Amino acid sequence: MKKLTTSTRGLLSEIKDEAAEMPVSERRNFLLKGLQLTAGSAFAMGAAKVMAETPARSNVPAWTKKLGRGVVSVPYGQPSKYEDDVIRRTVSWLTASTESSISMTPIHEMKGIITPSGLVFERYHAGLPDVNPDEHRLIIHGMVDNPITLTMDDLMRYPSESVIHFLECPANGGMEWHGTQMEALQFTHGMLSCCEWTGVKLSTILDEVGISADAKWVLAEGADGATMTRSIPIEKALDDTMIVYAQNGEKLRPEQGYPVRLFNPGWEGNTSIKWLRRLEIGDKPWYQREETSKYTDLMPDGKARKFSFIQETNSVITSPCPERPMLRKGVHELEGIAWSGRGTVKRVDVSLDGGVTWRQAKLKGLVLPKAITRFSLEINWQGEPLLLQSRSIDDSGYVQPTLTQLRDIRGSNSIYHKNSIHTWKLDTDGTVSNVQLG
Amino acid sequence: MFNWDNKNVIKSLLLIGLFGFSQAGLTKDTGYYGYGKSATQEEIAAWDIDVRPDGKGLPVGSGSVSYGEELYEAKCALCHGAFGEGEGRWPKLAGGFDTLTDAKPEKTVGSYWPYASTLWDYIHRAMPFTAPQSLSVDETYALTAYVLYLNDIIDDEDFVLSKDNFTEIEMPNKDGFFVDPRPDVKNPACMENCKDPATIKVTSAIKGITPLQHIAKEEGANDKASSDSEDQQPKSADQVAVDNELKVGSAIYSQSCSICHGSGIAGAPKFGDKMAWAPRIKQGVEQLNKHAIEGYSGKTGIMPAKGGNPSLTDAEVSAAILYMIENSQ
């Protein structure tokens, strides 16, 4: 016999079980109806409906009554087939071809701070090359005493280090300088991932080859069809830049530069050259296409900022969000992520009223420099419309700005580095939409 | 000129002479770890293709505007347009002068790029999009000259651009860049009464252009398991061969053909467009293969030989055609 729990929480969870069998559109209506019922005077009616339609607990599911699959039936494990919605997505009209495009991480579905390797956003400038690690070579030359060629085996002999850092495209959010146009979190903030990266510090290798006292810049070049290049200042190269060959405990995914990539912690993703084949040490920047024509920030006076490397602190609420509407009234853990390319997230504030008043959220889990950091705040939602915002502050003292503050200085045509406070509009029916505040 | 290999050998010999077979001495000379091998001048030269604004890295060679025009029309106009205006979302290369302060700035080679060396370097390393590093040094000089000509930076159509005169080219926007000054904004992080709630204006500009099918779609995950395990009938050898060719074709298609056939630019029959493909399929596969391999100029547009990627084999082109036909009839 089914035991009817009298708590609202239990009832709602049963409504949810039943709703899971319905198509999404019906499910939403049904859940919201259930919500209204439990909240209003018709509680008993709602309970009766649940009793009539919920399967009895004695109805044991099929998977419990048969033998499951054996080991190595899937030699490389995959997510459950019920999670097939948790995938990267792209916006087809954004670029001319998929080989010069970007896909976004489903950050609304992410837990903790690590992005699974298969969900890390992709960015290609001439498609995804299929590099054979046995034939791949990394050459380090230029203003050095001893230019060297390294095989992957050579590279992996150096003492390795592992770090957890975010990777973000500077165009993340860049589609919304002029106004909102993306109706889901995956598209507003999904050019962002965070992984454990393993490799050797670039400074170790520069020490090996012996760089000239006049060395000021390092050119990093990929082995893809774009032989993608960026000039990196020597200060960064000698600080925390890494040459990485592994990600989340296994070799890099092809999409992330297999077999080896550069990694510049906290800097715009395109400087972390993938499929790395060459490092040239020089005394001046090279002014390559991806540091002149692209990845420069045009200001209202017609001049453009160059070498805008740092990803300044940013944050966004991930629950609720357009993909994760509020399904029930009551206590809800409002959750989100914050990150900073300058260092560690020190504090995140949350506003429910569009920035009139702010409350400090709790940072939870691992709080690491230049890594995704989770924040949370419990709220008791009773169906009132809210304007949800989060504001991150990092250990350099920099405070995430409003969009108005950014536009006042940068106008709306700089494409990159839009790290402004984001606003979700929560409506009375629990739906969440992307808005901007004027 | 010195050879690094020799230098190291000599140094090593000296060290052996001084210290005997001292490991410490040897490893110190080639770096503490001493992994890998010294890169030879030939190895470096083969990969060192970068060119700097001061001309460092430019190889000896030259190319004229008129030769550039010829090459441009054959290899570039398909995507970048006959006058550099850009087809569809492919980059616009010319014009856009004095638009950088406009509401919709046009950032082209002429209006935005600070150095001509970037143009030479990028054409040589990455263009054409489907066949990077297929252009010779002289072809690169010629194409660079022609793109500068399209932008009125070179106005003489008899001009020959070379290593010797390259650094004389001055780009209109050479002073248009400055080093990133961030942090540039200061938010005081107010906690209470930060603004008058009555002044908040909520805007939501554009709707309906986000790919949201996954949010609206019905949940059919349960049906999937059964359909995956069905359809397991044995295949004939012919079927297997066709399947393999289709696999090759699919890979070639996405690598080389999808640029035009995916979007239908330059009169290319669009992938999956039955109407556009029907009259072509009627001509027979052999004819289609011939046109695709050798190149073809028809009423609706141009098919460059092998889609502009000479590194493809005939069999690969045929496989790609088979794949497109399979999916467009």
Side-chain angles (χ1 to χ4, degrees):
Chain A
M1 258 312 271
K2 175 182 172 300
K3 188 179 151 214
L4 177 66
T5 154
T6 49
S7 81
T8 311
R9 190 184 295 265
L11 172 61
L12 284 167
S13 105
E14 280 153 16
I15 295 175
K16 196 174 165 248
D17 288 346
E18 185 174 344
E21 305 299 318
M22 298 180 176
V24 167
S25 51
E26 273 178 48
R27 185 162 69 139
R28 277 290 311 284
N29 290 337
F30 178 67
L31 286 169
L32 291 167
K33 211 159 108 197
L35 189 78
Q36 286 151 11
L37 288 170
T38 52
S41 58
F43 176 88
M45 229 172 80
K49 186 174 161 58
V50 168
M51 282 188 72
E53 293 179 18
T54 304
R57 291 256 161 89
S58 61
N59 188 358
V60 178
W63 52 80
T64 310
K65 297 205 284 188
K66 67 175 182 183
L67 190 59
R69 287 173 297 174
V71 296
V72 294
S73 62
V74 185
Y76 191 101
Q78 297 291 313
S80 160
K81 66 185 178 188
Y82 301 105
E83 298 297 316
D84 66 348
D85 234 17
V86 184
I87 52 171
R88 296 184 282 228
R89 293 188 172 84
T90 187
V91 178
S92 60
W93 49 261
L94 204 57
T95 57
S97 75
T98 56
E99 295 84 0
S100 58
S101 193
I102 190 156
S103 67
M104 293 81 161
T105 295
I107 52 177
H108 57 289
E109 297 279 8
M110 297 295 93
K111 311 293 177 199
I113 65 168
I114 297 292
T115 310
S117 301
L119 293 174
V120 173
F121 75 94
E122 304 156 278
R123 173 74 174 104
Y124 308 138
H125 293 80
L128 169 57
D130 190 11
V131 179
N132 179 341
D134 296 337
E135 293 171 20
H136 186 74
R137 296 289 182 273
L138 172 61
I139 290 189
I140 299 125
H141 72 105
M143 297 171 69
V144 301
D145 296 334
N146 180 32
I148 55 171
T149 304
L150 298 172
T151 64
M152 287 308 300
D153 287 342
D154 294 332
L155 203 53
M156 282 185 273
R157 287 177 70 192
Y158 292 105
S160 71
E161 292 194 18
S162 293
V163 291
I164 294 175
H165 289 310
F166 75 82
L167 178 74
E168 185 184 23
C169 175
N172 201 15
M175 286 180 274
E176 310 217 308
W177 276 105
H178 290 272
T180 61
Q181 54 176 350
M182 290 290 109
E183 296 176 66
L185 172 60
Q186 184 164 10
F187 304 105
T188 60
H189 289 81
M191 301 177 193
L192 170 74
S193 299
C194 184
C195 296
E196 183 190 49
W197 307 96
T198 299
V200 52
K201 285 193 80 172
L202 179 54
S203 59
T204 303
I205 303 219
L206 293 181
D207 206 29
E208 280 285 288
V209 295
I211 58 171
S212 149
D214 298 326
K216 295 278 187 298
W217 292 83
V218 179
L219 182 77
E221 181 177 84
D224 56 331
T227 43
M228 168 87 182
T229 34
R230 284 293 316 248
S231 306
I232 313 293
I234 199 78
E235 295 79 15
K236 179 71 172 179
L238 292 173
D239 178 20
D240 60 355
T241 301
M242 291 183 66
I243 296 177
V244 304
Y245 42 76
Q247 163 191 17
N248 295 339
E250 60 182 354
K251 296 284 170 60
L252 286 174
R253 290 293 169 90
E255 301 96 306
Q256 293 309 315
Y258 181 88
V260 59
R261 78 179 300 171
L262 200 68
F263 193 87
N264 285 306
W267 280 20
E268 53 183 29
N270 62 81
T271 64
S272 293
I273 296 292
K274 297 190 277 189
W275 315 290
L276 185 70
R277 72 165 198 169
R278 190 167 70 94
L279 292 166
E280 181 175 352
I281 288 71
D283 57 352
K284 291 177 191 167
W286 281 260
Y287 290 101
Q288 295 282 293
R289 190 236 193 192
E290 314 299 345
E291 51 204 18
T292 52
S293 169
K294 310 290 172 194
Y295 305 118
T296 48
D297 312 25
L298 183 62
M299 295 293 118
D301 66 356
K303 303 280 185 210
R305 294 176 179 176
K306 61 182 176 182
F307 306 126
S308 47
F309 295 122
I310 286 181
Q311 294 296 105
E312 295 188 299
T313 200
N314 201 345
S315 70
V316 69
I317 292 167
T318 57
S319 178
C321 70
E323 294 100 318
R324 303 175 73 83
M326 288 283 227
L327 296 176
R328 290 176 267 304
K329 289 183 185 175
V331 178
H332 181 92
E333 185 192 26
L334 185 148
E335 226 195 326
I337 51 175
W339 61 102
S340 169
R342 280 212 183 82
T344 309
V345 171
K346 266 296 189 229
R347 190 179 109 194
V348 177
D349 302 324
V350 168
S351 174
L352 309 180
D353 55 14
V356 178
T357 52
W358 294 84
R359 273 191 277 170
Q360 194 172 329
K362 184 178 80 184
L363 302 186
K364 61 176 195 177
L366 289 171
V367 179
L368 302 172
K370 303 175 185 178
I372 283 181
T373 302
R374 290 213 161 250
F375 64 86
S376 102
L377 182 73
E378 280 193 1
I379 62 169
N380 191 344
W381 184 62
Q382 293 304 323
E384 64 275 28
L386 299 175
L387 290 171
L388 304 171
Q389 296 183 320
S390 62
R391 178 178 69 192
S392 170
I393 303 172
D394 67 19
D395 60 356
S396 78
Y398 177 88
V399 182
Q400 187 184 355
T402 66
L403 182 55
T404 309
Q405 287 171 329
L406 281 190
R407 279 191 188 137
D408 282 350
I409 292 173
R410 304 186 200 166
S412 297
N413 281 328
S414 58
I415 303 177
Y416 309 104
H417 302 297
K418 183 183 157 293
N419 65 320
S420 55
I421 291 169
H422 193 78
T423 311
W424 296 130
K425 179 164 167 271
L426 172 63
D427 280 317
T428 51
D429 66 356
T431 57
V432 176
S433 55
N434 179 19
V435 298
Q436 291 180 352
L437 303 186
Chain B
M1 276 293 229
F2 47 76
N3 181 308
W4 286 106
D5 280 327
N6 291 345
K7 183 184 167 210
N8 287 332
V9 169
I10 293 162
K11 272 201 187 176
S12 302
L13 289 172
L14 282 173
L15 287 166
I16 291 164
L18 287 172
F19 304 115
F21 289 94
S22 156
Q23 280 299 317
L26 279 172
T27 51
K28 195 175 178 207
D29 181 52
T30 56
Y32 177 74
Y33 300 101
Y35 303 156
K37 65 182 189 65
S38 291
T40 65
Q41 292 300 320
E42 292 73 31
E43 284 170 338
I44 294 167
W47 279 11
D48 182 5
I49 54 172
D50 52 75
V51 176
R52 275 192 337 199
D54 60 6
K56 184 177 174 291
L58 270 177
V60 174
S62 65
S64 66
V65 169
S66 54
Y67 183 41
E69 179 174 15
E70 213 176 286
L71 291 166
Y72 181 89
E73 279 169 8
K75 293 172 186 274
C76 319
L78 219 58
C79 294
H80 293 295
F83 305 101
E85 74 277 19
E87 291 278 352
R89 291 196 66 85
W90 296 103
K92 186 178 162 76
L93 298 181
F97 293 101
D98 303 319
T99 64
L100 296 184
T101 55
D102 291 1
K104 286 197 171 173
E106 285 183 359
K107 296 189 280 185
T108 72
V109 173
S111 72
Y112 194 63
W113 293 33
Y115 305 108
S117 59
T118 312
L119 182 61
W120 198 101
D121 176 288
Y122 190 69
I123 292 172
H124 188 235
R125 75 170 56 242
M127 290 286 114
F129 195 48
T130 54
Q133 302 208 18
S134 64
L135 295 168
S136 71
V137 165
D138 287 347
E139 286 174 331
T140 306
Y141 275 108
L143 280 167
T144 304
Y146 186 65
V147 173
L148 294 172
Y149 178 79
L150 283 176
N151 280 289
D152 300 324
I153 294 164
I154 290 174
D155 49 18
D156 176 5
E157 41 187 297
D158 297 324
F159 186 84
V160 178
L161 185 64
S162 69
K163 178 179 161 63
D164 296 331
N165 63 13
F166 195 94
T167 52
E168 290 163 25
I169 304 282
E170 200 163 275
M171 300 296 274
N173 196 40
K174 72 178 168 61
D175 297 322
F177 295 82
F178 62 103
V179 173
D180 176 26
R182 291 176 305 157
D184 54 352
V185 283
K186 204 162 164 48
N187 185 344
C190 162
M191 293 302 281
E192 274 175 31
N193 298 319
C194 302
K195 55 180 154 183
D196 178 357
T199 63
I200 295 177
K201 207 176 89 200
V202 180
T203 63
S204 181
I206 301 174
K207 286 195 170 164
I209 59 169
T210 310
L212 293 174
Q213 298 82 347
H214 59 288
I215 297 179
K217 81 158 197 209
E218 294 196 353
E219 287 186 347
N222 291 338
D223 311 335
K224 204 167 282 172
S226 52
S227 65
D228 281 353
S229 54
E230 283 166 18
D231 194 25
Q232 290 294 325
Q233 302 202 353
K235 290 178 171 177
S236 72
D238 281 357
Q239 276 175 312
V240 171
V242 169
D243 284 355
N244 285 341
E245 190 170 1
L246 285 172
K247 257 185 226 161
V248 172
S250 162
I252 299 294
Y253 170 80
S254 55
Q255 175 201 326
S256 293
C257 320
S258 63
I259 312 304
C260 295
H261 289 281
S263 56
I265 63 167
K270 208 170 153 182
F271 186 85
D273 182 345
K274 292 176 189 171
M275 295 271 280
W277 277 94
R280 292 170 164 96
I281 294 170
K282 236 177 172 177
Q283 296 172 20
V285 175
E286 228 161 88
Q287 189 70 7
L288 289 180
N289 282 344
K290 187 170 152 41
H291 285 169
I293 291 165
E294 295 171 5
Y296 174 73
S297 185
K299 267 176 279 178
T300 55
I302 309 159
M303 172 70 205
K306 296 185 177 178
N309 184 354
S311 70
L312 294 180
T313 64
D314 291 0
E316 285 172 333
V317 176
S318 303
I321 290 171
L322 183 71
Y323 175 73
M324 283 188 267
I325 291 174
E326 275 290 308
N327 289 283
S328 309
Q329 61 179 6

